[in-house]
């Protein structure tokens, strides 16, 4: 996320796809301490690489779960509103 221009960061935080990728990567490999060989930089633990290079923190996983629940509720209420009030099949 550090490489995203400042004026586009709001879109990153408002994107359900970004939250999903954050959750998937963090939950699957965010707690691993195996070493990565990075050419020119030496060895680095995977957990540290995710935090430093990609900005993925394993301790942020509960917030990601809450964000997913929020997205589901938002889409549910928008769908329910659309079904109730935006019925275009009236005659």
């Amino acid at each position: 996320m550090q490489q995203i221009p400042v004026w586009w960061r709001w879109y990153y935080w408002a994107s359900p796809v970004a939250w999903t990728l954050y959750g998937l990567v963090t939950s699957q490999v965010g707690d691993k301490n195996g070493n990565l060989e990075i050419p020119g930089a030496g060895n680095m633990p995977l957990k540290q690489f995710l935090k430093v290079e990609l900005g993925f923190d394993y301790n942020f996983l509960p917030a990601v779960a809450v964000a997913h629940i929020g997205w589901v509720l938002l889409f549910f209420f928008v769908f329910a509103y659309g079904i109730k009030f935006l019925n275009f099949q009236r005659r």
Side-chain angles (χ1 to χ4, degrees):
M1 185 176 123
Q2 293 86 355
Q3 296 178 355
I4 300 173
V6 175
W7 55 88
W8 278 110
R9 288 189 187 166
W10 66 270
Y11 186 74
Y12 172 80
W13 289 109
S15 173
V17 175
W19 286 100
T20 302
L21 289 174
Y22 192 112
L24 284 173
V25 171
T26 306
S27 67
Q28 296 301 311
V29 296
D31 59 342
K32 306 287 188 225
N33 285 322
N35 283 334
L36 290 176
E37 283 189 37
I38 302 171
N43 290 338
M44 179 184 285
L46 179 59
K47 188 174 187 177
Q48 181 183 359
F49 175 78
L50 289 175
K51 189 167 186 172
V52 171
E53 297 295 327
L54 301 177
F56 290 173
D57 187 12
Y58 185 75
N59 296 329
F60 195 63
L61 207 51
V64 173
V66 170
H68 273 98
I69 292 169
W71 278 112
V72 168
L73 290 174
L74 175 72
F75 284 124
F76 172 76
F77 285 117
V78 168
F79 172 75
Y81 177 82
I83 290 295
K84 182 167 177 79
F85 295 110
L86 299 176
N87 187 359
F88 298 111
Q89 295 183 359
R90 293 185 187 153
R91 294 178 189 235

